[in-house]
Amino acid sequence: MDIKIRVGVTVFCLLLVGCFSNDDGGFGRTVSLNIQDAISMENLKQYNVGDTIFFDLRFSRYLAEEGFDEPVDIFETTKAEHFSFSFDFQKFSELENRFSPINIDEEFVVAEKRDLDTFYYYGGYGTSVGLNEAQDSYETTVGIILVEDGLFRFDFDNIYIQSPYDFEQVQISIYHSFSVDGRLDTEFEVLE
């Protein structure tokens, strides 16, 4: 093979590899945002087996991004009508003298119909928060049917809300935290 052809093929291959270097966007485009006090719940502190305890998650479609004056329209950015999140549900163990995560069977979780992506994992449960009818915020109400007695609590620390992965769209990761005034008392007792 002629040296000019070899050099030409080599240069062409290098240019072709450069086109797939992913420097023009695509994979890995993630925007991290923060929200506070988006979770609320009415905690009666004492429930009976068979009762359902609910919590709400609500946040605006327009979120502040550090370093920018204008808020990010997370729906326009991601085209996502649902964001997924997970939460921990814990029971107090007298043997261990501490709260420990417990599994929640899917049949004991009540979520709004628009929350399509429900899943469970060891020590927690995940669902999604959906764009409301006015299309100005994402909201959901999730309930847990209480089927056994004991001392329980939700653990809403370190909640991340994620847009679905889509190679064509920016992914948004939202970290939820509580302000000092917004911290929730999520501990409650369930009686037989």
Side-chain angles (χ1 to χ4, degrees), residues 136-152:
D136 60 356
S137 64
Y138 288 82
E139 18 184 273
T140 190
T141 299
V142 177
I144 304 297
I145 301 169
L146 306 170
V147 295
E148 59 185 66
D149 62 336
L151 189 59
F152 295 88

Side-chain angles (χ1 to χ4, degrees), residues 78-113:
T78 64
K79 305 296 186 230
E81 292 188 11
H82 293 86
F83 281 68
S84 62
F85 71 99
S86 59
F87 59 91
D88 288 337
F89 192 60
Q90 302 175 344
K91 183 176 183 179
F92 187 79
S93 168
E94 299 209 15
L95 288 174
E96 296 177 350
N97 196 31
R98 67 182 178 101
F99 281 94
S100 298
I102 60 171
N103 289 330
I104 308 169
D105 192 296
E106 195 169 348
E107 71 179 282
F108 300 116
V109 178
V110 180
E112 293 181 6
K113 288 186 174 86

Side-chain angles (χ1 to χ4, degrees), residues 6 20 27 35 47 61 73 80 88 92 94 98 101 123 143 155 162:
R6 286 184 188 178
F20 294 103
F27 181 74
I35 57 174
Y47 297 86
R61 152 185 180 169
D73 181 340
D88 288 337
F92 187 79
E94 299 209 15
R98 67 182 178 101
D155 182 0
Q162 300 282 330

